[in-house]
Amino acid sequence: MNSDQVTLVGQVFESYVLEYHKNDMLLILKERDEDAHYPVVVNAMTLFETNMEIGEYFNAFPNEVLTIFDNALRRSALTILQSLSQPEGLSMKQNLHARISAQSVKNLPAVQETRVRSLGWEDPLEKEMATHSSILAWTISWTEEPGGLQSMGSQRVGHD
């Protein structure tokens, strides 16, 4: 992405967050743990309806766009803090992360990392699904095999 595209994506997302997620941001800023990681769950449809270009950039450059979104979240948090006449009890959080979802989900104040022990074997599909939190959706297709047996295949839709 070139610098103009980065600037556009950042400005659009920052504006979107201030309009649609200000209350979520205030709840995060009230949290005491400054080192925790805080997700802001964003409805993909609402965001992409705000600016179709953002959706195009997200599809073409998902990792870069998610990084831009995280930076824009920090700028939004700073803007909110600076706009308050009495920001007592609020503190800046550096670990803000945009999570793009195809459905509305209530934001949780903080996320604890969950670790799962290996049982000695790994399912590549399960591992892929568990380790990428910004995948929009998975499709699972069933096909009939000769003799009535079914087999399952999967295809990732979206990007990590």
Side-chain angles (χ1 to χ4, degrees):
M1 292 180 67
N2 67 40
S3 62
D4 290 338
Q5 293 168 328
V6 169
T7 301
L8 171 71
V9 170
Q11 288 174 343
V12 168
F13 190 71
E14 188 174 344
S15 173
Y16 174 86
V17 168
L18 291 172
E19 182 176 346
Y20 291 96
H21 291 279
K22 186 174 182 177
N23 289 335
D24 297 328
M25 297 296 289
L26 283 167
L27 289 173
I28 290 170
L29 295 173
K30 288 179 183 177
E31 290 292 322
R32 292 184 182 185
D33 189 350
E34 292 182 18
D35 295 322
H37 290 258
Y38 297 94
V40 176
V41 180
V42 173
N43 183 304
M45 295 305 294
T46 307
L47 173 61
F48 300 156
E49 285 173 0
T50 301
N51 185 307
M52 294 296 287
E53 266 186 287
I54 301 301
E56 292 171 13
Y57 290 133
F58 183 78
N59 285 329
F61 311 102
N63 293 329
E64 293 90 338
V65 170
L66 286 172
T67 300
I68 295 166
F69 285 177
D70 290 353
N71 291 332
L73 283 173
R74 285 187 287 278
R75 287 193 308 273
S76 298
L78 187 58
T79 298
I80 292 168
L81 278 173
Q82 292 173 342
S83 71
L84 298 172
S85 59
Q86 296 181 344
E88 288 100 30
L90 303 178
S91 61
M92 184 63 188
K93 307 300 186 292
Q94 294 301 318
N95 298 313
L96 300 170
H97 305 288
R99 296 295 176 244
I100 307 304
S101 173
Q103 54 185 293
S104 295
V105 178
K106 181 153 176 64
N107 282 319
L108 300 175
V111 173
Q112 300 257 337
E113 187 174 338
T114 303
R115 297 195 182 271
V116 179
R117 275 195 222 168
S118 173
L119 297 175
W121 58 275
E122 289 187 21
D123 179 352
L125 175 62
E126 183 177 329
K127 181 179 177 186
E128 189 71 17
M129 288 176 66
T131 59
H132 297 286
S133 60
S134 54
I135 293 171
L136 293 177
W138 281 82
T139 59
I140 298 175
S141 57
W142 290 86
T143 58
E144 285 285 328
E145 298 289 328
L149 298 175
Q150 294 182 338
S151 66
M152 181 177 71
S154 68
Q155 176 182 6
R156 185 169 67 187
V157 179
H159 302 280
D160 59 337

